[in-house]
Amino acid sequence: FFFLMIRRPPRSTQSRSSAASDVYKRQVYNPEGFDPVHLKEHFNRSQDITNYKYAKDSREDFSLMTYPCDMLVTAAKESQITKFNVNQLQCKMVIEAAQGSTTWIADYMLNQRNIFVLPDLLTTTGDITASYFDWLRNLEHVRSGLMMKKWTEKGFLLLTQKAAEVYGKKIEDLTEEDIASIKGPKEHEITFLAIEESLHNGYKETLDIADSAQVNLRTAVWMNAINKLHHFYEELEFLSKLSEVNI
């Protein structure tokens, strides 16, 4: 999708997509909302988001982006929100699902309008983090799960045995489904958990900085990154000086 608009219809407790566009400027709109997953399935079948039975086609030239909504998700392309359209936006929140989807001047204007922005530096880092873990794994020439898989399996097995004893069962009575559930994690599961942990920690650090420094999230991300670089080079200089000391 080029952009996706999300809003909660009146008398509803759930937020739904109200408009969507692809990179070919084809657009669909339904103020009552539709399921974006279902729209994606429709696109996979027809390679086109138009003629979707739960929304109307729109021929307007990206004016849908300025329709009222709660969240505007900008994806797939950079420089979608610019100084030329930022004042027409009627969203409460912008989620940058593409790198550079908001220009710097538009970002400043969004902040002036008190529209909350979840920046690309937080929302698009999953693939980069995954690449980092792949790089670490290649340096070690060892799969991440190799060293902990059996240990995890033994721990789960011991826990299952103790639970079975509590409920008056024997380990031999466990079903194949029970046995499968105590096997160690697969390689991709370990990677996903590592990514989740890294993103969670990074997001929490950013929120803490934004709160303490009273800045927006984009500024807080840069502050966090610069602080980490500063501490790294500070430590590096200390180690360099330590190596020069004759002991």
Side-chain angles (χ1 to χ4, degrees):
F1 298 134
F2 186 76
F3 70 78
L4 189 67
M5 299 175 67
I6 301 172
R7 67 188 297 268
R8 188 173 67 182
R11 302 178 300 279
S12 174
T13 58
Q14 293 184 334
S15 296
R16 307 192 73 192
S17 297
S18 58
S21 171
D22 62 16
V23 293
Y24 304 106
K25 299 186 179 182
R26 297 176 296 208
Q27 302 177 108
V28 293
Y29 179 70
N30 182 351
E32 296 302 317
F34 56 83
D35 184 354
V37 176
H38 191 268
L39 176 61
K40 183 69 166 76
E41 293 172 353
H42 166 75
F43 174 80
N44 290 339
R45 290 191 299 268
S46 62
Q47 295 301 300
D48 190 350
I49 67 170
T50 58
N51 299 316
Y52 178 54
K53 64 180 180 179
Y54 296 111
K56 295 181 180 179
D57 297 348
S58 173
R59 304 300 177 188
E60 300 181 54
D61 189 17
F62 285 98
S63 59
L64 277 182
M65 187 182 286
T66 65
Y67 279 24
C69 66
D70 295 316
M71 291 178 282
L72 172 63
V73 183
T74 52
K77 192 177 180 181
E78 69 281 354
S79 300
Q80 294 186 53
I81 302 177
T82 69
K83 64 180 181 180
F84 301 108
N85 64 5
V86 64
N87 285 328
Q88 283 76 51
L89 298 184
Q90 300 186 64
C91 58
K92 300 174 184 177
M93 177 180 182
V94 172
I95 302 175
E96 297 180 346
Q99 295 176 355
S101 60
T102 304
T103 64
W104 285 100
I105 185 64
D107 183 60
Y108 172 79
M109 296 170 74
L110 286 171
N111 286 317
Q112 292 296 107
R113 294 184 58 196
N114 292 320
I115 295 178
F116 182 82
V117 178
L118 193 59
D120 53 358
L121 292 167
L122 284 177
T123 58
T124 64
T125 53
D127 54 345
I128 299 171
T129 306
S131 298
Y132 168 72
F133 284 118
D134 283 339
W135 175 71
L136 287 181
R137 186 172 55 188
N138 291 335
L139 286 179
E140 298 287 342
H141 296 289
V142 176
R143 290 184 289 113
S144 304
L146 186 62
M147 294 180 288
M148 62 179 292
K149 184 176 178 64
K150 287 299 179 183
W151 176 264
T152 305
E153 285 185 4
K154 287 182 179 179
F156 283 157
L157 182 60
L158 179 62
L159 182 63
T160 305
Q161 287 175 328
K162 294 297 182 181
E165 291 173 5
V166 169
Y167 290 101
K169 293 184 178 181
K170 296 181 180 179
I171 194 69
E172 293 81 7
D173 297 332
L174 296 176
T175 64
E176 291 184 4
E177 186 177 344
D178 294 329
I179 297 298
S181 67
I182 64 176
K183 288 186 177 180
K186 297 178 181 178
E187 194 70 22
H188 71 277
E189 293 172 334
I190 295 173
T191 302
F192 287 161
L193 286 174
I195 294 171
E196 181 182 350
E197 179 72 9
S198 296
L199 296 181
H200 177 270
N201 291 341
Y203 186 66
K204 185 178 184 306
E205 291 169 1
T206 302
L207 285 180
D208 290 342
I209 293 173
D211 185 54
S212 61
Q214 290 297 294
V215 295
N216 60 50
L217 287 182
R218 194 189 306 279
T219 303
V221 169
W222 284 110
M223 290 174 65
N224 191 21
I226 292 171
N227 284 337
K228 288 183 176 181
L229 282 173
H230 172 74
H231 292 317
F232 171 77
Y233 281 111
E234 211 174 34
E235 183 178 334
L236 195 64
E237 184 179 357
F238 170 76
L239 293 175
S240 177
K241 290 181 178 179
L242 188 65
S243 64
E244 296 173 1
V245 177
N246 294 322
I247 301 179

